[in-house]
Amino acid sequence: MSKRALITGITGQDGSYLAELLLSEGYEVFGMVRRLSTPNTWRIEHILDRITLKPADLLDQLSMLRLIDEVRPHEVYNLAAMSFVPASWDQPMLTGEFNSQGVTRMLEAIRSVDTKIRFYQASSSEMYGRVREVPQSELTPFYPRSPYGVSKVFGHYITVNYRESYGMFAVSGILFNHESPRRGLEFVTRKVTEGVARIKLGLKDKLSIGNMDAQRDWGFSGDYVKAMWKMLQQDVADDYVIATGETHSVKELIEVAFAHAGLDWQKHVYQDPALIRPAEVDLLLGDPAKAKASLGWEPEVGFRQLIEMMVDADLERLGKAHR
């Protein structure tokens, strides 16, 4: 009998890579989608005939109860969230509803239907915020610096709470920044690689950037979803930091991307003060030692390879559209 998995946020970057992985492992894959006036399924277009999409909403408890009861999944991956950090200052209440209470609603639905369902929560390195130590491990105290980070801390601890209170197999993956050609255009990596492609193709001349000194631990989304899956295959439920253990600045990201396209970044990039966050997170660097030891997980795609892959994908996509 094949395992059934339910993915919230299946139309997002991680959801699409996870769906591909689970299909390759022989799962029956269900995706929870919100009813939208314009469907946003471009990332999963190529597998739509192999997965089942079901309407429900993290803001609506009853819809989630019905969904869990109908699908009866063996595993639930909660990847849906208000995921763009700067937007969390514009909509702090809604961010909390999705990223904090949405997690609680899902856990409560699982508890009501079947406590044997395994649950994965997408935690975030943004929970560390103004970091207390470098690198950050599972034991590093959280100090979030945005409504997004704060909401993710709640989601993280409510998952721990349900695990400890009800004996549920509920885990959190504390994922550091992970990117891909499927990353949304509002994120800095994709903003840069798409900007490079547009400049290379003569579609624009300038790229505006915020804080170029911010440092992040960037990995490939396709690698990180493997860690999510591995967490739910363990005998004991536990939380893990998923990261590369390397840090790179936004400036380095810009240099690699422009160089790959044969461009001089200094002729095209300018700093826009309007893009600086109210409270900046300067340095995130994860320590993936526990995940490597316990899960046998290793990132396969390096920083340069990742950025060049994204530039190539944007050049190809925009080149086709332009032609």
Side-chain angles (χ1 to χ4, degrees):
M1 186 184 93
S2 65
K3 272 189 177 175
R4 284 184 305 282
L6 171 66
I7 303 172
T8 75
I10 194 167
T11 59
Q13 167 185 257
D14 292 3
S16 63
Y17 282 111
L18 180 62
E20 289 173 353
L21 172 68
L22 294 176
L23 287 170
S24 74
E25 294 288 343
Y27 280 68
E28 200 179 339
V29 176
F30 294 83
M32 182 181 109
V33 287
R34 301 174 69 203
R35 288 203 188 279
L36 299 169
S37 49
T38 49
N40 173 32
T41 54
W42 64 271
R43 293 180 181 91
I44 52 172
E45 210 70 55
H46 61 298
I47 51 171
L48 277 176
D49 56 338
R50 299 167 59 204
I51 61 180
T52 307
L53 299 182
K54 294 277 185 189
D57 197 311
L58 284 175
L59 303 186
D60 181 356
Q61 182 74 52
L62 191 56
S63 71
M64 288 162 68
L65 260 169
R66 286 178 176 151
L67 176 65
I68 297 291
D69 192 41
E70 184 190 344
V71 173
R72 294 284 171 151
H74 299 91
E75 298 171 2
V76 172
Y77 296 85
N78 185 41
L79 310 186
M82 291 276 285
S83 64
F84 185 48
V85 178
S88 72
W89 274 283
D90 299 327
Q91 296 183 297
M93 302 294 284
L94 190 60
T95 299
E97 280 296 327
F98 277 113
N99 300 359
S100 303
Q101 299 308 341
V103 185
T104 316
R105 291 186 194 104
M106 179 58 89
L107 284 163
E108 200 45 33
I110 291 170
R111 187 174 79 88
S112 304
V113 174
D114 181 2
T115 54
K116 289 193 285 297
I117 294 170
R118 295 189 164 207
F119 176 78
Y120 171 85
Q121 165 61 12
S123 282
S124 164
S125 58
E126 287 285 332
M127 301 189 303
Y128 295 118
R130 190 172 179 176
V131 301
R132 304 294 190 90
E133 62 182 8
V134 179
Q136 294 89 52
S137 75
E138 293 80 4
L139 301 176
T140 303
F142 299 136
Y143 191 150
R145 297 271 280 170
S146 64
Y148 171 82
V150 173
S151 70
K152 280 291 187 179
V153 171
F154 183 102
H156 181 84
Y157 278 124
I158 201 72
T159 302
V160 172
N161 193 255
Y162 271 66
R163 174 168 80 219
E164 294 178 352
S165 303
Y166 303 117
M168 291 166 62
F169 195 103
V171 305
S172 287
I174 305 172
L175 270 59
F176 279 66
N177 295 60
H178 46 290
E179 318 296 317
S180 76
R182 299 178 194 173
R183 189 54 139 155
L185 288 171
E186 67 274 23
F187 291 88
V188 69
T189 46
R190 188 73 198 292
K191 185 180 174 182
V192 168
T193 62
E194 208 240 5
V196 164
R198 284 187 179 277
I199 291 166
K200 182 71 178 175
L201 295 168
L203 301 174
K204 67 185 265 190
D205 187 48
K206 294 278 182 241
L207 177 65
S208 60
I209 286 291
N211 180 6
M212 283 202 266
D213 299 323
Q215 293 180 300
R216 293 292 181 272
D217 183 327
W218 276 300
F220 172 50
S221 173
D223 288 340
Y224 284 37
V225 298
K226 291 176 190 161
M228 297 177 187
W229 175 70
K230 281 176 180 275
M231 281 180 223
L232 289 194
Q233 313 315 310
Q234 302 303 303
D235 294 331
V236 178
D238 204 353
D239 307 323
Y240 297 89
V241 162
I242 305 300
T244 67
E246 285 180 20
T247 188
H248 298 274
S249 67
V250 173
K251 188 180 172 194
E252 274 180 85
L253 155 70
I254 290 166
E255 288 168 350
V256 170
F258 275 86
H260 186 59
L263 297 167
D264 177 359
W265 71 270
Q266 286 170 307
K267 291 181 179 161
H268 303 283
V269 175
Y270 73 97
Q271 202 160 23
D272 183 352
L275 297 175
I276 306 282
R277 295 180 186 181
E280 185 59 77
V281 174
D282 299 314
L283 169 66
L284 291 175
L285 173 60
D287 177 4
K290 181 176 166 185
K292 289 181 176 184
S294 304
L295 303 176
W297 176 83
E298 288 277 351
E300 290 167 33
V301 177
F303 175 72
R304 180 175 293 276
Q305 189 186 349
L306 170 66
I307 302 309
E308 292 179 350
M309 172 207 302
M310 291 173 67
V311 171
D312 289 341
D314 278 327
L315 277 168
E316 188 188 349
R317 182 181 57 86
L318 287 168
K320 269 185 196 159
H322 195 44
R323 279 199 297 276

